[in-house]
Amino acid sequence: MRRRRAVVVGAGIGGLTAAVALHRRGWQVTVCERASDPPITGAGIGLAPNALRALRAIDVDVTRTTGSAVPLMMGVRRSDGRWLTRTSTADLAARYGTPPIAVPRPALTVALAAALPAEALRYGTAVTAVDDAGGRPVLRTETGPDLPADLVVAADGIHSPLRRAHFPAHPGLRYLGETAWRALVEAPDLRVQAMSETWGRGERFGVTPLSDGRFYLYATAAVPAGAPAGDPRAELRRRFGSWHDPIPALLERVGRLAVADVLRHDLYELAAPLPRLHHGRIAWLGDAAHAMAPNLGQGGCQAVEDAVVLAHLLPAGDGDDDADAVPAALAAYTAARRDRTDAVRVRARRVGRLGALRHPLAAAARDLAVRATPDRLAVRGMDDLFDGFRLPARPGT
């Protein structure tokens, strides 16, 4: 009996999760990644309860590799340090079954890659095109022979060449009006036990304790797209050095990093939802399918959900050869994921607009409204995100 073969384009979090999920469904999996090596640097990634539940559905416990330290609380503050809203992670664990955690992105990549056969991973392999005119896709690469497949998973990132090739009429990306900086620092002496985001006027600063004891720092500011970039360490000190503790002390640690260790990116989202998340036997997931603002911490979480739902809906890799089974599963995948991911994309943009308010009166009104909202209602407002992951019924059941 011939095993079905999937080729995953992109070895990011979504692509590797899809590869693991498909491998565990009996598929023969090949992951093609343009980069020559696995990432050894990078920032952090938050795994909310919905993503952790999805990973458990494919029997992946990332904490075995990444650690599982959890901050005591999470919330939003003003630039003078006053809390606008905060919630204990114990309350979140009680409500959702598990607290959110944050892990170093390279460690999560290692954990997922370790669940695959070594021969499944092909670094330094750029996919240049997918020819699906004959009913079964054939992938063209820069460095090797063509790869025939029963399924292609397009996890090729926010600038997805496969998305542009197969949805040429789509408007593509839209600049969100903000630039972001990200860095990892060591600061065990500061004993920061809260995951927080601080809102100023047109600027934000996030502090996230990671599972390995380091801190993931991120900041955003309203900056024109493509604005000249100076030393990011100096710019962060200039913008946020007078904000509440422990931000100045954390920025002092940032100052010890190499310039290359402080990541700076303009923020974009997909300007409109894709008409569908599949084309023929190609399925899109993660940023390639629904690039969104990072404001809810759900970009990577939704990619994980995509990957697990996609593999769940597809037929087993060693089942009977049914020519209609894969296309039917991909149609079900679009039906299961398109509306949910687009709702998260829209919500993330709206939250970002609140955090980026610059007018003093508008920012003050925002802060007052957030402070006036009871913490229990703020937590309840996360139910559709944190408790929204479900495995849909498979086609024909």
Side-chain angles (χ1 to χ4, degrees), residues 89-177:
T89 50
D91 289 343
L92 294 176
R95 187 173 185 86
Y96 302 114
T98 184
I101 64 172
V103 302
R105 188 177 289 265
L108 179 56
T109 300
V110 168
L112 292 168
L116 292 169
E119 65 271 16
L121 296 165
R122 298 190 183 181
Y123 290 96
T125 303
V127 173
T128 57
V130 176
D131 180 1
D132 60 347
R136 288 287 198 280
V138 177
L139 291 89
R140 319 291 184 193
T141 68
E142 290 180 348
T143 56
D146 293 345
L147 299 174
D150 298 288
L151 169 73
V152 176
V153 179
D156 52 342
I158 188 170
H159 298 289
S160 175
L162 293 180
R163 183 185 67 228
R164 293 197 303 269
H166 292 274
F167 296 101
H170 188 272
L173 299 174
R174 169 172 54 205
Y175 182 53
L176 288 163

Side-chain angles (χ1 to χ4, degrees), residues 86-267:
R86 54 181 163 175
T87 304
S88 75
T89 50
D91 289 343
L92 294 176
R95 187 173 185 86
Y96 302 114
T98 184
I101 64 172
V103 302
R105 188 177 289 265
L108 179 56
T109 300
V110 168
L112 292 168
L116 292 169
E119 65 271 16
L121 296 165
R122 298 190 183 181
Y123 290 96
T125 303
V127 173
T128 57
V130 176
D131 180 1
D132 60 347
R136 288 287 198 280
V138 177
L139 291 89
R140 319 291 184 193
T141 68
E142 290 180 348
T143 56
D146 293 345
L147 299 174
D150 298 288
L151 169 73
V152 176
V153 179
D156 52 342
I158 188 170
H159 298 289
S160 175
L162 293 180
R163 183 185 67 228
R164 293 197 303 269
H166 292 274
F167 296 101
H170 188 272
L173 299 174
R174 169 172 54 205
Y175 182 53
L176 288 163
E178 292 182 285
T179 287
W181 297 263
R182 296 175 293 152
L184 297 181
V185 299
E186 307 251 8
D189 55 304
L190 298 182
R191 302 184 183 277
V192 179
Q193 296 182 313
M195 180 187 302
S196 65
E197 182 169 288
T198 301
W199 290 356
R201 296 202 301 268
E203 297 175 327
R204 288 171 288 167
F205 196 98
V207 179
T208 302
L210 294 181
S211 57
D212 66 354
R214 291 183 293 171
F215 291 89
Y216 168 41
L217 310 179
Y218 63 90
T220 67
V223 175
D231 185 334
R233 302 165 300 180
E235 186 162 10
L236 289 171
R237 286 196 302 270
R238 177 178 64 80
R239 290 182 178 274
F240 304 102
S242 63
W243 285 25
H244 66 80
D245 291 334
I247 292 175
L250 289 167
L251 288 176
E252 192 273 331
R253 267 64 167 192
V254 171
R256 302 174 192 172
L257 299 175
V259 171
D261 290 334
V262 182
L263 308 179
R264 183 187 191 275
H265 296 99
D266 292 339
L267 297 180

Side-chain angles (χ1 to χ4, degrees), residues 72-91:
L72 294 180
M73 67 178 65
M74 58 187 298
V76 178
R77 309 175 78 170
R78 300 192 321 188
S79 60
D80 62 5
R82 187 172 186 178
W83 288 96
L84 300 175
T85 181
R86 54 181 163 175
T87 304
S88 75
T89 50
D91 289 343

Side-chain angles (χ1 to χ4, degrees), residues 268-361:
Y268 290 85
E269 68 164 1
L270 213 60
L274 292 178
R276 59 193 179 281
L277 303 186
H278 71 286
H279 175 91
R281 287 175 174 254
I282 309 172
W284 281 261
L285 60 74
D287 283 347
H290 43 69
M292 61 184 67
N295 306 301
L296 296 173
Q298 280 287 313
C301 296
Q302 290 302 308
V304 168
E305 284 193 21
D306 288 343
V308 173
V309 169
L310 174 63
H312 169 78
L313 290 170
L314 285 161
D318 55 358
D320 294 331
D321 188 16
D322 180 349
D324 296 326
V326 171
L330 297 187
Y333 167 69
T334 284
R337 296 299 300 160
R338 182 179 178 275
D339 289 349
R340 173 165 168 78
T341 54
D342 194 56
V344 177
R345 180 185 67 87
V346 171
R347 183 173 173 181
R349 184 200 324 134
R350 289 173 177 168
V351 169
R353 286 176 177 171
L354 279 178
L357 289 172
R358 285 184 281 181
H359 193 283
L361 292 179

